[in-house]
Amino acid sequence: MVGEQHRNAGIGQLLMGDVETTERDTKLFTSTNLSNQVMQRLLARRDWVS
């Protein structure tokens, strides 16, 4: 989770990219509420499938 005061600075993108790179051979899952539009957009930008 990225603290509210640090959001919209690309930190989430960096964190997700690091996990995706580090766990390249692992099937990754995440969970978030549909109401969490910020995370929904981040996942969509990274081509995650709902």
Side-chain angles (χ1 to χ4, degrees):
M1 182 173 151
V2 177
E4 193 170 337
Q5 68 275 21
H6 300 290
R7 292 180 189 163
N8 297 313
I11 296 170
Q13 287 282 359
L14 291 171
L15 291 170
M16 292 293 291
D18 186 59
V19 169
E20 291 167 358
T21 300
T22 303
E23 301 300 325
R24 189 176 318 223
D25 298 326
T26 303
K27 195 171 207 175
L28 299 173
F29 297 88
T30 188
S31 176
T32 188
N33 293 330
L34 289 174
S35 62
N36 186 346
Q37 293 298 305
V38 174
M39 184 61 171
Q40 294 291 334
R41 283 192 302 272
L42 174 62
L43 293 171
R45 280 193 297 264
R46 301 202 63 82
D47 296 325
W48 282 54
V49 178
S50 178

